[in-house]
Amino acid sequence: MKQFSSKRSIQILAHLLKEYEIFDLVISPGSRNAPLAIHFSETDAFNCYSIVDERSAAFVGMGMAKNLKKPVAITCTSGSAAANYYPAITEAFYQNTPLLILTADRPSDYVDIFDGQTIRQKDLYQQHSYGDFQLLEDEKENADEENFATIKKAIELCFEKQGPVHINIPLAEPLYQLVSEQPKYPAVEKTIKKKNYELPSNLIAEWNTAKRILILVGTRDYSEELEMQLSQLVKNHSVVVLKEANSNLRHDKFFGHIDRYIFNFTEADFQNYAPDLLITIGQNVVSKKIKQFLRSAKPKNHWHIHEVWQPDTFFSLTEKIETKAEQFFGKLLNHITLEPKAYYNLWDVLRDKKDVKHEEFCLKTQYSDFKFFEILSQKLPENINLHFSNSSAIRYAQLFDFQKNNIYCNRGTSGIDGSTSTAMGFAMKSPKQTVLVTGDLSFFYDINGLWNNYIPPYTRIIVFNNGGGDIFKIIPGPDSTNALDEFILTKHHKTTELMAKNFGFSYTKVEDEDTLFRVLDNFFKSDTQPKILEVNTQGIENAQILKDYFQFLK
């Protein structure tokens, strides 16, 4: 016989999650949240996942939500457990990934009296959430009615903002009282707000008078509709569309590999290639060079298109377009003229020149991180979920063609924490193969991302191990200090072999180009367990090779 929590606040919560079709919960073990763990695991509607480490658990939940494109709930016990959620919450906040955060708590009068596992949890994530709510304890007057209304408001806000929303749940002892029957609660009238967008006439005029229109697409999921709309714009060379690896755009008239083209721009180049109308879409942009270029360019008009975020990244924002890009361009295309512009040809000539230099450099480059990414771009299967960790991984990915896959990277805050956990959470909810390409420090830092029983056997992880945080040899500044090796680069001689064995992954190591070619042919094939491939490039001057690459492009 199934048994459920007797806590009415938990019963109401479960009822409302079912009403809004939020069925996936990541549960971290503890006593104070035991009523939630018991209730949800015993209720047939829910898919419950046990993840011990709260920092990893929150990223796993975020990975699931990125895949499902709807809220996933995460729940933990009180105290420092709730604080350990914070890195993933900041990432979800800036990526607009919907997480419903359910923190169990002591009763409110236990805060600050030195009771065990008790901190100030109310409004804990206020700076990086779209809503913070506190439930009443069951014993309080009108608790059922107020909690019903509070939970409903929180869930709808999570859907509207597509970001993290926090519900703090004070629970008094006893925590383990159970019932075999659940009360009936009324159906919910959903009131999730939907925005309508009307195209201002001044934007049509600005478009039609602009001679140099540049569209820059940042981090965003693949959209067939947006792909078709932007394809119409570039068909007769009316605009220039710049994309990054995780912009998830594929048309061959879009300009990828931005740094390949603009890395060596002079101040004169900045002005020569500057747009008079800049349109930015989506979220965080990886390339620092494009930020320098566009901040120097000072376009006359800059429109940014996003439902929630309107950042003035390039210090020139003139129009905040608070809608989906697909909705905006759907309206714009009905009112504008599409004429060939010399501006497109200017960029196209640059692309042809730099692409030839790129191919020449690749032909002469030996085994290294750079060569690994070149080979991977040739060997990777199509139509997979491809996750890159931060720092070096996503920057190398910018230089090669991975556009036949859906690409993901935690560029909300751009930290190395949680890359593995996010990819594993994504893999748990996907029938397609998920491949994580990660640097060694990012992998070691988030090793608890592998500590669960739900990782599909078709999951693949490739760790390129260069013996430290090689990004700090690439960016200017760190190599001028004596602290580089020990305190910034963090040099090491660790491998992933024992970690793979401990977590039930098959393991292969390569240390040369020929072996890498041979191994990759079989690495992505089906097997009974997930796999880790370690590409060892320790002792190779990877940073110098990358610097030589950009010098060669001149």
Side-chain angles (χ1 to χ4, degrees):
M1 178 184 294
K2 289 186 177 292
Q3 292 185 304
F4 309 97
S5 173
S6 64
K7 299 290 186 185
R8 295 195 307 280
S9 59
I10 307 307
Q11 294 169 356
I12 293 168
L13 175 64
H15 169 71
L16 287 168
L17 290 183
K18 283 195 291 184
E19 287 285 302
Y20 285 90
E21 299 182 355
I22 300 173
F23 299 128
D24 293 283
L25 287 97
V26 177
I27 302 172
S28 295
S31 186
R32 190 58 49 168
N33 67 329
L36 289 92
I38 293 166
H39 196 88
F40 288 115
S41 63
E42 288 282 275
T43 304
D44 291 336
F46 297 106
N47 308 311
C48 295
Y49 302 85
S50 176
I51 308 290
V52 174
D53 177 358
E54 286 86 4
R55 185 177 71 178
S56 176
F59 279 109
V60 167
M62 193 184 78
M64 290 180 176
K66 286 172 71 67
N67 184 300
L68 296 169
K69 295 182 172 55
K70 71 175 188 177
V72 167
I74 57 176
T75 181
C76 68
T77 193
S78 61
S80 59
N84 282 321
Y85 275 167
Y86 217 124
I89 289 167
T90 59
E91 182 65 33
F93 180 70
Y94 286 108
Q95 277 201 60
N96 287 105
T97 303
L99 276 183
L100 192 64
I101 309 143
L102 311 173
T103 54
D105 200 359
R106 261 56 175 175
S108 54
D109 54 357
Y110 278 59
V111 176
D112 288 349
I113 65 167
F114 283 19
D115 199 54
Q117 289 183 273
T118 306
I119 65 172
R120 300 173 184 177
Q121 285 182 210
K122 183 180 179 182
D123 300 329
L124 179 61
Y125 315 111
Q126 190 173 32
Q127 291 293 313
H128 296 96
S129 65
Y130 289 99
D132 295 86
F133 301 89
Q134 174 101 350
L135 298 190
L136 294 176
E137 295 151 44
D138 285 357
E139 297 75 22
K140 301 289 186 181
E141 186 178 358
N142 298 323
D144 286 7
E145 293 80 3
E146 292 196 28
N147 285 343
F148 194 101
T150 297
I151 296 168
K152 179 178 184 294
K153 183 178 180 181
I155 291 173
E156 293 198 343
L157 191 60
C158 193
F159 275 100
E160 288 169 13
K161 294 295 187 180
Q162 288 293 292
V165 171
H166 177 212
I167 304 176
N168 194 48
I169 310 171
L171 295 168
E173 295 181 10
L175 301 172
Y176 295 90
Q177 284 190 337
L178 306 175
V179 295
S180 57
E181 297 290 335
Q182 298 190 62
K184 301 293 184 183
Y185 292 101
V188 177
E189 181 182 353
K190 298 175 184 177
T191 55
I192 298 172
K193 299 174 184 175
K194 293 184 179 179
K195 291 182 179 179
N196 293 319
Y197 178 76
E198 296 297 330
L199 183 67
S201 59
N202 67 294
L203 298 191
I204 301 168
E206 288 178 13
W207 176 285
N208 287 333
T209 56
K211 301 298 183 186
R212 300 156 69 92
I213 302 174
L214 179 65
I215 299 175
L216 172 64
V217 186
T219 302
R220 60 166 291 125
D221 290 344
Y222 174 73
S223 165
E224 184 177 2
E225 184 179 3
L226 182 63
E227 178 89 15
M228 294 300 295
Q229 290 167 336
L230 296 182
S231 297
Q232 286 182 259
L233 296 177
V234 300
K235 186 165 55 176
N236 24 335
H237 302 177
S238 297
V239 305
V240 171
V241 175
L242 299 185
K243 63 174 184 174
E244 296 197 298
N246 51 327
S247 301
N248 285 300
L249 293 172
R250 299 169 182 178
H251 197 285
D252 58 9
K253 284 191 175 181
F254 302 153
F255 292 77
H257 321 303
I258 298 172
D259 279 357
R260 186 191 299 178
Y261 306 137
I262 72 169
F263 190 85
N264 295 308
F265 265 12
T266 63
E267 288 297 324
D269 291 326
F270 281 171
Q271 297 308 311
N272 191 31
Y273 289 86
D276 50 19
L277 171 58
L278 170 65
I279 304 172
T280 50
I281 304 171
Q283 297 178 323
N284 205 306
V285 173
V286 176
S287 170
K288 283 190 174 181
K289 272 295 179 181
I290 197 66
K291 293 175 185 175
Q292 293 172 359
F293 164 47
L294 291 174
R295 286 168 183 170
S296 173
K298 295 180 173 57
K300 178 182 176 183
N301 293 300
H302 172 202
W303 311 344
H304 183 72
I305 310 168
H306 192 267
E307 306 97 298
V308 177
W309 287 102
Q310 301 297 324
D312 192 8
T313 306
F314 308 107
F315 311 139
S316 58
L317 189 64
T318 56
E319 190 73 29
K320 299 178 180 180
I321 301 172
E322 298 179 22
T323 189
K324 291 185 177 181
E326 296 87 342
Q327 188 173 17
F328 172 76
F329 284 107
K331 291 180 179 291
L332 184 72
L333 281 163
N334 293 324
H335 295 90
I336 58 174
T337 56
L338 296 176
E339 298 176 350
K341 303 275 197 327
Y343 188 55
Y344 181 94
N345 294 331
L346 179 71
W347 280 88
D348 204 28
V349 169
L350 176 68
R351 171 167 57 181
D352 289 345
K353 175 185 173 184
K354 299 293 185 179
D355 286 355
V356 169
K357 299 285 282 185
H358 170 83
E359 295 299 330
E360 289 176 3
F361 188 86
C362 288
L363 287 173
K364 70 174 191 174
T365 307
Q366 302 302 310
Y367 179 73
S368 58
D369 287 350
F370 185 96
K371 178 60 70 172
F372 157 64
F373 274 87
E374 180 199 348
I375 294 171
L376 181 66
S377 68
Q378 300 164 7
K379 291 284 192 176
L380 203 66
E382 295 182 12
N383 196 30
I384 61 170
N385 304 312
L386 181 56
H387 287 246
F388 290 105
S389 68
N390 271 306
S391 294
S392 297
I394 188 60
R395 286 172 171 82
Y396 277 114
Q398 301 284 75
L399 304 178
F400 299 96
D401 291 314
F402 295 99
Q403 62 187 21
K404 293 179 181 178
N405 300 291
N406 292 324
I407 296 174
Y408 303 90
C409 181
N410 283 350
R411 294 304 296 181
T413 61
S414 306
I416 66 167
D417 50 343
S419 295
T420 302
S421 294
T422 303
M424 296 306 99
F426 197 104
M428 291 173 200
K429 303 305 297 184
S430 177
K432 295 196 300 185
Q433 186 172 82
T434 296
V435 176
L436 168 65
V437 181
T438 177
D440 46 288
L441 286 194
S442 181
F443 180 75
F444 295 145
Y445 192 87
D446 190 29
I447 193 63
N448 278 353
L450 306 184
W451 186 12
N452 66 75
N453 299 318
Y454 314 105
I455 298 172
Y458 43 83
T459 304
R460 301 291 179 265
I461 299 175
I462 305 176
V463 182
F464 64 104
N465 187 346
N466 49 41
D470 218 48
I471 185 67
F472 298 109
K473 288 183 178 179
I474 297 170
I475 62 176
D479 59 355
S480 64
T481 171
N482 294 329
L484 176 64
D485 284 355
E486 184 175 0
F487 297 108
I488 300 175
L489 180 67
T490 320
K491 290 182 71 172
H492 68 86
H493 299 284
K494 300 185 189 315
T495 72
T496 67
E497 182 175 6
L498 295 180
M499 297 178 189
K501 182 178 180 180
N502 184 59
F503 290 110
F505 282 67
S506 70
Y507 173 80
T508 305
K509 182 179 181 179
V510 301
E511 298 182 288
D512 62 82
E513 186 175 335
D514 291 341
T515 306
L516 178 61
F517 259 107
R518 187 177 68 253
V519 165
L520 281 175
D521 286 333
N522 292 313
F523 179 71
F524 300 107
K525 292 181 180 178
S526 298
D527 206 336
T528 57
Q529 61 185 152
K531 300 179 183 180
I532 290 177
L533 171 64
E534 183 165 12
V535 180
N536 182 16
T537 64
Q538 295 186 36
I540 295 171
E541 291 298 323
N542 292 294
Q544 188 57 52
I545 290 170
L546 188 61
K547 290 175 182 177
D548 291 345
Y549 168 75
F550 285 113
Q551 287 300 310
F552 187 81
L553 292 176
K554 282 185 175 180

